């Protein structure tokens, strides 16, 4: 059992060499309020005075103190080189290889190190000071002396000094492998002990808390600490031990600790005779040694498991950093091949490490094609930006000075081309999005490749530059092809397209007269599109129109209806010559018209007083033009309906074609081209260059991390070996 504490000391040395505190080793943490006697208790256990003294806060850095029993025949810790072969006791700091045989020098070194890290004011520093004391009359212990708990900042202390000290204390006592030594002065109320309160917070069961009551000789006259020491006031599971420390006058008079130990034994025998054997500094040292050994024995199995897990983790980390490069040309070619393969795998979706947090690579390209680009095209309305007056203006501009008998072909082509051009911008934007994703794949093409990129930053920069240049060269070709796709649709308006021909077959219903018996199916729909003031009563027979004109000769709505009606008949009369028009090429043959319709068409048409939809030209200065829109006549409304129906039909055909062709063009000219030529581009620009030496220079932080990981792995392997030996020796 005595060998357990040296094992922990060896483990502490192992982890101190690599500067790691990731393994929480068993140790005794001394906790108490300021000036409660913590440092005096530690000095009494050591048997020498070596800690800084003074008023206020003196301990401003954690002191990790390892007490190592070293007999005179100890060849492991003693050597003639450092003059410790015959020394009874000496100290050695972790930050210094010097051996201190004078404990006053140890005190000065602690003070210097404290001021170096925490400054000369009253501030604290969480960085610990590691000190080993070898002696022939100490027990094996590992103690941690912490700054005293304070409430009010003094001097130059920061305002949050209480919170700083509390956080520092909790960092050590929250370690489940530590034993808490809660120090409280006997001349204070135990119920107000800050040390016991913090210990109870982190150890509610009290399984690793031991209380120490100091200053037994300073209690008020007529009072004693029997109830406190027996646990009647506040019970502590591991016990309560009372000690008597040196006073400030004894310290100034340099009273030796051995004399103090004799005075303490005499005081306990005189004041507490029944409790003398279970109190005092010697009993405290033996109790701490026994508790620490049992605690180590309980913690050792879990400690070994933790060491094995960390060894596996650091081995994986070391493997990820790679080994030193011997053949740089071969390594460079391997990295290029691995990167090109990972890049293509990310696009194809065959990568080993599939991203689960976001879409990337080929999946994102598919999303852009079918969600972003597709929905954008679907959101473009065929008639967006076209008003009735715009369509009517285009029809009139296409006819010139002659009145139009039917809808001209030029107006349809001009308007539909205008709408088709609106598909070009989202198509080019789709190319930009795919280009950005191809550039982004460089950062998402596998963990192994990314680790190589971090290892060789100059090579990473060059690879990114080559990929960027390749994508940049392909971008104009892809844009030109996409622009050509739209230009091809604009170059020839195919009115013989099968899908367009089916829709155009419905146009005659819009061209026929309201009185046409063959158009009664569409009568309700036409009335719904007619303004309210044009909704005069109508009859389906042709003879009803003259009769209504005789009954209401002065009716203005009926006169407008009659004008529009007669104009429509004029347009219908022109259907006999429709074979020479553009609509005759896409419409089915017109049915035979009744004689009554031909007779009605021979009536004298009423003069049309329509106002031109073109913005009027103001020839007189300072006279504002009239921009008020007017209502459309029946013929104008039907002409607009025809154009709108044809624009919609043809626009949907072109939109469907572009929605299918643009992704194919992008895949061919950009995505597939980069996939097929990436490796050859990298080899051309990198492998054949004479800069392989500079490209494979490791970054400094990777080299440092590899060394740290190797040192930590070596320390963990050694710690595992030490634990295995002690487990085999003690057979548990």
């Amino acid at each position: 059992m005595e060998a357990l504490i040296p094992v922990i000391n060896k483990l502490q040395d192992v982890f101190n060499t690599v500067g790691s505190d990731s393994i929480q080793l068993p140790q005794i943490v001394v906790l108490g309020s300021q000036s409660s006697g913590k440092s005096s208790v530690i000095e009494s256990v050591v048997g020498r005075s070596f800690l800084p003294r003074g008023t206020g806060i003196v301990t401003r850095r954690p002191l990790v103190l390892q007490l190592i029993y070293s007999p005179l025949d100890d060849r492991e810790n003693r050597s003639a080189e450092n003059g410790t072969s015959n020394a009874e006791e000496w100290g050695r700091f972790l930050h210094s290889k010097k051996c201190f045989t004078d404990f006053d020098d140890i005190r000065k070194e602690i003070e210097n190190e404290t001021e170096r890290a925490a400054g000369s004011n009253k501030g604290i520093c969480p960085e610990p000071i590691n000190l080993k004391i070898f002696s022939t009359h100490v027990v094996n212990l590992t103690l941690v002396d912490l700054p005293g708990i304070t409430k009010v900042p003094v001097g130059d202390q920061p305002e949050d000094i209480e919170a700083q000290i509390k956080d520092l204390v909790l960092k050590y006592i929250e370690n489940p492998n530590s034993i808490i030594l809660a120090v409280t002065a006997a001349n204070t109320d135990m119920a107000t002990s800050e040390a016991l309160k913090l210990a109870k917070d982190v150890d509610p069961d009290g399984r690793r808390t031991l209380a120490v009551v100091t200053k037994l000789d300073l209690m008020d006259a007529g009072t004693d600490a029997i109830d406190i020491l027996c646990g009647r006031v506040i019970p502590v599971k591991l016990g309560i031990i009372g000690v008597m420390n040196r006073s400030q006058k004894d310290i100034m008079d340099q009273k030796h600790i051995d004399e103090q130990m004799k005075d303490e034994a005499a005081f306990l025998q005189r004041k507490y005779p029944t409790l003398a054997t279970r109190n005092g500094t010697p009993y405290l040292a033996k109790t701490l040694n026994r508790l620490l050994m049992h605690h180590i024995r309980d913690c050792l199995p879990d400690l070994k498991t933790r060491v094995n897990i960390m060894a596996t983790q650091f081995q994986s980390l070391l493997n990820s950093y790679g080994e030193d490069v011997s053949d740089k040309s071969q390594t460079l070619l391997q990295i290029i091949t691995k990167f090109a393969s990972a890049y293509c795998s990310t696009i194809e979706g065959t990568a080993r490490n599939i991203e689960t947090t976001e879409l990337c690579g080929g999946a994102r390209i598919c999303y852009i094609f079918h969600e972003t680009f597709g929905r954008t095209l679907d959101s473009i309305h065929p008639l967006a930006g076209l008003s009735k007056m715009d369509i009517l203006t285009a029809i009139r501009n296409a006819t010139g000075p002659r009145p139009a008998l039917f809808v001209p072909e030029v107006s349809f082509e001009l308007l539909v081309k205008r709408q088709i051009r609106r598909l070009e911008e989202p198509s080019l934007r789709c190319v930009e999005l795919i280009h950005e994703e191809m550039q982004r794949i460089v950062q998402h093409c596998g963990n192994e490749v990314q680790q190589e990129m971090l290892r060789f930053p100059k090579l990473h920069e060059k690879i990114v530059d080559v990929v960027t240049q390749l994508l940049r060269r392909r971008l104009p070709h892809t844009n030109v092809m996409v622009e050509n796709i739209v230009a091809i649709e604009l170059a020839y308006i195919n009115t013989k397209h099968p899908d367009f021909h089916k829709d155009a077959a419905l146009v005659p219903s819009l061209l026929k007269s309201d009185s046409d018996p063959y158009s009664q199916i569409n009568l309700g729909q036409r009335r719904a599109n007619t303004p309210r003031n044009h909704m005069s009563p109508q009859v389906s027979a042709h003879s009803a129109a003259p009769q209504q004109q005789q009954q209401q000769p002065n009716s203005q709505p009926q006169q407008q209806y009659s004008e529009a009606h007669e104009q429509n008949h004029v347009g219908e009369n022109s259907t006999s010559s429709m074979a020479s028009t553009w609509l005759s090429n896409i419409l089915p043959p017109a049915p035979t018209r009744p004689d009554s319709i031909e007779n009605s068409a021979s009536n004298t048409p009423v003069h049309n007083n329509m106002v031109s939809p073109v913005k009027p030209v103001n020839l007189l200065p300072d006279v504002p033009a009239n921009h008020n829109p007017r209502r459309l006549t029946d013929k104008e409304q039907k002409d607009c309906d025809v154009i709108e129906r044809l624009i919609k039909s043809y626009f949907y055909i072109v939109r469907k074609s572009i929605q299918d062709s643009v992704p194919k063009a992008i895949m061919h000219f950009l995505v597939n081209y980069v996939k097929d030529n990436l490796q050859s581009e990298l080899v051309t620009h990198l492998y054949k260059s004479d800069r392989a030496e500079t490209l494979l220079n490791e970054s400094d932080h990777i080299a440092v991390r590899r060394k740290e990981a190797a040192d930590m792995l070596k320390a963990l392997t050694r710690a595992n070996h030490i634990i295995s030996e002690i487990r085999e020796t003690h057979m548990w």
Side-chain angles (χ1 to χ4, degrees):
M1 291 291 289
E2 284 293 336
L4 291 179
I5 297 179
V7 168
I8 296 301
N9 291 336
K10 290 180 181 179
L11 294 177
Q12 187 71 54
D13 294 341
V14 168
F15 295 122
N16 285 339
T17 56
V18 294
S20 174
D21 57 353
S22 55
I23 298 292
Q24 296 177 324
L25 298 174
Q27 57 191 2
I28 299 172
V29 180
V30 184
L31 170 65
S33 300
Q34 187 173 303
S35 301
S36 61
K38 304 185 309 301
S39 299
S40 298
V41 170
I42 294 175
E43 286 183 339
S44 298
V45 172
V46 176
R48 297 298 298 266
S49 179
F50 64 97
L51 295 176
R53 292 287 182 174
T55 58
I57 183 170
V58 178
T59 304
R60 297 188 288 125
R61 288 182 63 182
L63 176 65
V64 180
L65 177 63
Q66 291 178 284
L67 302 182
I68 301 174
Y69 173 69
S70 178
L72 294 175
D73 58 351
D74 183 9
R75 293 292 174 254
E76 182 179 356
N77 297 313
R78 296 176 180 270
S79 65
E81 296 179 359
N82 51 28
T84 60
S85 56
N86 296 320
E88 289 190 1
E89 51 192 3
W90 72 94
R92 186 170 65 235
F93 289 93
L94 177 63
H95 62 270
S96 176
K97 296 182 179 180
K98 179 182 177 182
C99 291
F100 296 85
T101 56
D102 188 348
F103 281 79
D104 289 336
D105 294 338
I106 292 178
R107 179 187 299 108
K108 293 178 182 178
E109 184 68 18
I110 293 175
E111 292 174 350
N112 294 336
E113 279 296 302
T114 300
E115 291 187 2
R116 181 188 64 81
S120 58
N121 56 12
K122 298 296 184 179
I124 65 170
C125 177
E127 183 183 353
I129 300 174
N130 293 84
L131 172 63
K132 286 184 179 181
I133 292 182
F134 303 86
S135 178
T136 57
H137 54 268
V138 297
V139 293
N140 292 315
L141 287 176
T142 301
L143 302 169
V144 181
D145 186 19
L146 296 175
I149 302 171
T150 184
K151 293 291 185 181
V152 181
V154 296
D156 297 332
Q157 287 182 341
E159 294 295 328
D160 61 340
I161 186 65
E162 179 186 2
Q164 290 185 20
I165 295 177
K166 186 175 181 180
D167 293 340
L168 178 60
V169 168
L170 289 175
K171 175 185 175 182
Y172 283 89
I173 65 176
E174 285 178 346
N175 174 13
N177 295 334
S178 66
I179 295 176
I180 304 172
L181 189 65
V183 179
T184 304
N187 56 356
T188 61
D189 191 352
M190 284 281 287
T192 62
S193 173
E194 193 70 23
L196 289 175
K197 179 181 180 301
L198 288 176
K200 189 174 182 180
D201 291 341
V202 299
D203 181 32
D205 297 333
R207 295 180 179 179
R208 53 188 184 92
T209 301
L210 175 67
V212 175
V213 179
T214 61
K215 303 181 181 181
L216 292 176
D217 55 328
L218 299 181
M219 296 187 69
D220 294 339
T223 61
D224 57 37
I226 292 179
D227 291 342
I228 295 175
L229 297 176
C230 292
R232 299 190 188 106
V233 178
I234 296 179
V236 180
K237 187 170 291 187
L238 295 183
I240 302 175
I241 300 176
V243 296
M244 186 180 75
N245 301 328
R246 292 180 299 168
S247 64
Q248 189 63 33
K249 184 176 182 302
D250 294 337
I251 295 173
M252 295 175 62
D253 294 341
Q254 297 183 352
K255 181 179 180 181
H256 200 275
I257 292 182
D258 291 341
E259 297 180 7
Q260 173 63 23
M261 302 278 280
K262 294 178 182 179
D263 294 344
E264 180 189 47
F267 172 80
L268 291 174
Q269 194 65 40
R270 182 180 69 255
K271 188 72 175 178
Y272 308 98
T274 58
L275 303 176
T277 56
R278 290 182 285 119
N279 290 277
T281 302
Y283 180 78
L284 174 63
K286 293 178 182 179
T287 302
L288 291 176
N289 178 264
R290 174 177 55 82
L291 291 175
L292 186 58
M293 283 192 300
H294 285 83
H295 197 62
I296 292 172
R297 183 191 63 186
D298 297 337
C299 296
L300 211 55
D302 292 338
L303 191 62
K304 179 176 175 60
T305 302
R306 175 65 177 160
V307 168
N308 289 334
I309 293 174
M310 289 193 63
T312 304
Q313 293 174 348
F314 275 92
Q315 182 65 59
S316 301
L317 183 62
L318 186 60
N319 294 337
S320 67
Y321 292 140
E323 300 178 355
D324 293 335
V325 179
S326 55
D327 188 349
K328 292 195 173 183
S329 297
Q330 181 181 359
T331 303
L332 179 59
L333 184 59
Q334 291 175 351
I335 294 176
I336 290 175
T337 305
K338 187 185 298 184
F339 174 81
S341 176
Y343 190 92
C344 296
S345 298
T346 304
I347 295 177
E348 295 294 338
T350 58
R352 288 187 298 175
N353 299 320
I354 298 178
E355 186 71 35
T356 58
T357 58
E358 61 176 346
L359 292 178
C360 65
R364 192 173 183 86
I365 292 174
C366 179
Y367 182 86
I368 293 172
F369 282 157
H370 302 290
E371 297 294 332
T372 306
F373 179 61
R375 290 182 178 179
T376 301
L377 292 189
D378 291 340
S379 66
I380 300 177
H381 194 273
L383 301 177
L386 280 181
S387 65
K388 296 283 187 180
M389 296 304 297
D390 293 336
I391 297 175
L392 189 59
T393 301
I395 294 174
R396 288 181 170 271
N397 285 336
T399 59
R402 296 172 300 280
L405 298 179
F406 47 84
V407 181
E409 177 184 2
V410 178
S411 61
F412 164 72
E413 289 196 5
L414 290 176
L415 292 174
V416 80
K417 286 181 179 180
R418 171 181 168 180
Q419 298 306 100
I420 291 174
R421 287 192 185 93
R422 300 179 66 242
L423 301 175
E424 182 176 6
E425 183 179 353
S427 300
L428 294 176
R429 178 56 183 157
C430 180
V431 178
E432 294 179 9
L433 293 177
I434 300 300
H435 175 266
E436 293 173 1
E437 178 58 26
M438 296 286 286
Q439 186 71 45
R440 182 171 167 266
I441 293 177
V442 178
Q443 310 299 331
H444 294 269
C445 56
N447 295 332
E448 297 179 0
V449 177
Q450 294 303 320
Q451 191 61 43
E452 297 288 351
M453 298 298 100
L454 292 176
R455 184 181 178 188
F456 305 111
K458 293 183 179 179
L459 177 61
H460 180 216
E461 294 176 2
K462 198 65 179 176
I463 288 178
V464 172
D465 183 61
V466 171
V467 176
T468 303
Q469 293 299 327
L470 177 60
L471 291 172
R472 191 173 297 168
R473 290 200 308 270
R474 296 307 303 171
L475 186 59
H477 297 279
T478 310
N479 284 334
V480 169
M481 184 59 198
V482 170
E483 291 172 353
N484 286 338
I485 290 176
V486 179
I488 288 170
E489 298 292 345
L490 294 172
Y492 180 65
I493 304 301
N494 183 17
T495 56
K496 283 294 187 179
H497 192 283
D499 296 337
F500 183 70
H501 186 75
K502 294 175 184 177
D503 250 334
L506 301 176
V507 172
S509 62
L510 297 176
L511 296 175
K512 295 176 183 178
S513 169
D514 293 344
S515 61
D516 189 351
Y518 297 97
S519 64
Q520 293 305 311
I521 299 176
N522 299 318
L523 180 60
Q525 180 179 357
R526 188 168 70 250
R527 287 181 176 179
N529 295 329
T530 305
R532 182 178 300 273
N533 58 349
H534 290 286
M535 296 294 294
S536 58
Q538 301 178 12
V539 293
S540 58
H542 171 68
S543 59
Q547 182 179 357
Q548 289 183 352
Q549 293 178 4
Q550 293 176 3
Q551 292 176 356
Q552 298 178 0
N554 298 326
S555 176
Q556 181 66 22
Q558 182 60 34
Q559 180 182 358
Q560 292 178 355
Y561 167 76
S562 178
E563 293 174 358
H565 186 72
E566 292 179 4
Q567 289 176 359
N568 290 342
H569 286 319
V570 173
E572 291 167 3
N573 191 35
S574 64
T575 57
S576 60
S577 61
M578 194 173 290
S580 62
T581 68
W582 67 284
L583 284 176
S584 64
N585 295 325
I586 62 174
L587 298 180
T592 303
R593 309 305 300 266
D595 295 338
S596 60
I597 298 179
E598 295 178 357
N599 295 332
S600 64
S602 62
N603 293 336
T604 303
V606 181
H607 182 69
N608 188 3
N609 295 324
M610 292 188 299
V611 180
S612 172
V614 182
K615 179 179 178 181
V617 179
N618 183 19
L619 299 179
L620 299 177
D622 300 330
V623 177
N626 184 16
H627 297 284
N628 294 329
R630 64 174 181 81
R631 291 184 294 271
L632 302 181
T633 65
D634 263 358
K635 183 178 185 306
E636 292 172 342
Q637 181 67 41
K638 284 185 288 186
D639 290 346
C640 291
D641 291 343
V642 169
I643 293 295
E644 286 181 356
R645 181 181 292 267
L646 296 177
I647 288 176
K648 284 183 180 180
S649 176
Y650 199 81
F651 182 86
Y652 289 143
I653 295 171
V654 174
R655 186 175 70 181
K656 182 179 179 181
S657 175
I658 289 180
Q659 192 169 351
D660 178 66
S661 301
V662 168
K664 292 178 179 178
I666 296 174
M667 287 298 297
H668 176 72
F669 285 89
L670 183 62
V671 179
N672 291 341
Y673 185 91
V674 172
K675 281 171 48 184
D676 297 339
N677 296 274
L678 178 60
Q679 184 166 356
S680 61
E681 287 284 330
L682 292 173
V683 171
T684 302
H685 292 84
L686 301 180
Y687 185 68
K688 294 183 179 179
S689 66
D690 55 352
R691 295 188 300 169
E693 292 290 331
T694 55
L695 290 177
L696 292 182
N697 285 338
E698 284 187 322
S699 60
D700 295 336
H701 75 278
I702 290 292
V704 171
R705 289 181 181 179
R706 183 193 293 108
K707 184 179 183 304
E708 291 176 351
D711 293 342
M712 190 64 186
L713 182 61
K714 186 185 297 183
L716 290 168
T717 304
R718 184 181 172 191
N720 193 17
H721 180 68
I722 293 172
I723 296 174
S724 299
E725 284 185 350
I726 198 65
R727 284 170 61 90
E728 292 174 1
T729 302
H730 292 271
M731 298 298 292
W732 81 82

